[in-house]
Amino acid sequence: MKRSLINKRICITTTINRSNASGFLFLQILTGITNPRHKSVKLPASLVTADGDVVKKIERKQTRDQISQIIRYEILSGNIQAGDELAQESIAEQLGLSRMPVREALQALEQEGFLIRLPNRHMQVAKLAADDVSQIFRVIAAMAAELFALIPSAAGETLKQLARSLAQPGDKSRELEFHLTLVSYIDNRYLSKAYQQFLDGYISYVILYLKEDSQESALLLRELSTAIGKGERDEIVQVTLRYFLSLAEIMRQHMKDLEIAET
């Protein structure tokens, strides 16, 4: 039996670290299913004024991106499951927003493959098998390797120092910042934006919520930085693939754990 999103009560808090170079949305899932007839969403503090009104100055695109990230992470966490239906009217009402940014957020997630459009104008969460994850990450790795090969070798030493710092315990978002530092050396705004879209999906979720430590990543990214510094294209490709497949394995195990929990 297919379930509507509003049949699950999921309380979400979101925090946007505006001083963080990555600009990523961080959210914490507080509860599971409690009331089968109602879903409560706690609005992000950044979207609400003291009297409870939505801040009108926030651009629609920014609001759309925030909504997309909330739903994207809820899907990846398993709180919103394959087959669940999302109605833009319901989500807009719960968030206290107009339908336009919600509609755009759902359309963006449809384009990313997370949602499927239904005849009733609702969106349905798509089913993604654990084995599909490796293919997705391999494609991301192939594109990333092409981007990293464009980074000037003079950046290698700076990148190596940043990668070395990732081995120290601390904020997991530093690894995401490393990625943004990588693409900041690429003099192509279109390609940089495309790579940031990759980061917003599976990659950021794995790094922020699934990885137990950054030791392996720190080592691989240090190797990548060395390869960039030497201008060794083949080595850049190989290390990039190893790095992304290590993230893919973490995501695959997470999805398998969700499948077991649902049975």
Side-chain angles (χ1 to χ4, degrees), residues 210-224:
L210 300 183
K211 292 180 63 177
E212 295 183 359
D213 62 66
S214 300
Q215 295 293 327
E216 181 181 8
S217 290
L219 177 61
L220 289 172
L221 293 177
R222 194 158 63 244
E223 290 182 22
L224 174 62

Side-chain angles (χ1 to χ4, degrees), residues 73 77 89 102 117 173 204 234 240 245 261:
Y73 280 0
S77 71
E89 298 84 359
V102 175
R117 185 180 299 276
S173 66
S204 62
D234 290 343
T240 300
L245 288 184

Side-chain angles (χ1 to χ4, degrees), residues 58-70:
I58 294 180
E59 296 181 1
R60 192 175 73 203
K61 181 180 183 300
Q62 182 181 1
T63 306
R64 179 203 70 187
D65 292 344
Q66 293 175 11
I67 297 169
S68 297
Q69 195 71 305
I70 290 173

Side-chain angles (χ1 to χ4, degrees), residues 8 39 50 58 90 95 113 118 163 174 185 217 235 245 253:
K8 303 173 82 175
K39 173 181 177 289
I58 294 180
S90 174
L95 291 175
L118 299 175
R174 289 184 305 177
Y185 287 103
S217 290
E235 189 174 347
L245 288 184
Q253 187 58 54

Side-chain angles (χ1 to χ4, degrees), residues 19-227:
S19 63
N20 191 311
S22 66
F24 282 96
L25 185 69
F26 300 94
L27 59 88
Q28 179 182 12
I29 300 163
L30 300 180
T31 64
I33 300 173
T34 56
N35 185 335
R37 294 184 58 81
H38 180 64
K39 173 181 177 289
S40 175
V41 176
K42 183 177 180 181
L43 290 177
S46 58
L47 292 183
V48 184
T49 60
D51 57 2
D53 292 332
V54 176
V55 178
K56 296 181 180 179
K57 293 183 179 179
I58 294 180
E59 296 181 1
R60 192 175 73 203
K61 181 180 183 300
Q62 182 181 1
T63 306
R64 179 203 70 187
D65 292 344
Q66 293 175 11
I67 297 169
S68 297
Q69 195 71 305
I70 290 173
I71 298 174
R72 186 186 294 114
Y73 280 0
E74 286 287 88
I75 292 173
L76 293 175
S77 71
N79 264 321
I80 301 178
Q81 300 175 359
D84 284 348
E85 293 185 14
L86 288 75
Q88 65 183 29
E89 298 84 359
S90 174
I91 297 174
E93 180 180 355
Q94 292 160 29
L95 291 175
L97 299 170
S98 66
R99 295 182 184 180
M100 183 63 72
V102 175
R103 182 185 304 118
E104 292 175 348
L106 296 179
Q107 289 173 345
L109 291 172
E110 178 192 15
Q111 293 174 355
E112 294 176 18
F114 285 100
L115 301 177
I116 300 171
R117 185 180 299 276
L118 299 175
N120 63 0
R121 297 191 306 169
H122 291 184
M123 293 287 192
Q124 186 179 66
V125 178
K127 173 69 175 178
L128 179 67
D131 290 340
D132 295 335
V133 173
S134 293
Q135 297 176 356
I136 294 173
F137 275 77
R138 281 182 178 275
V139 171
I140 293 176
M143 298 182 70
E146 291 295 324
L147 290 177
F148 299 161
L150 298 175
I151 298 175
S153 58
E157 189 58 36
T158 299
L159 292 172
K160 191 186 302 182
Q161 293 176 5
L162 289 175
R164 189 177 296 113
S165 69
L166 298 179
Q168 303 299 323
D171 188 355
K172 292 183 178 181
S173 66
R174 289 184 305 177
E175 189 169 335
L176 295 177
E177 293 175 6
F178 180 87
H179 283 271
L180 292 180
T181 301
L182 279 171
V183 296
S184 71
Y185 287 103
I186 300 173
D187 188 21
N188 188 313
R189 181 175 174 80
Y190 178 84
L191 294 178
S192 296
K193 289 292 184 182
Y195 190 71
Q196 289 181 42
Q197 290 182 337
F198 290 145
L199 294 179
D200 282 340
Y202 295 98
I203 299 171
S204 62
Y205 185 78
V206 172
I207 292 173
L208 293 175
Y209 297 103
L210 300 183
K211 292 180 63 177
E212 295 183 359
D213 62 66
S214 300
Q215 295 293 327
E216 181 181 8
S217 290
L219 177 61
L220 289 172
L221 293 177
R222 194 158 63 244
E223 290 182 22
L224 174 62
S225 301
T226 300

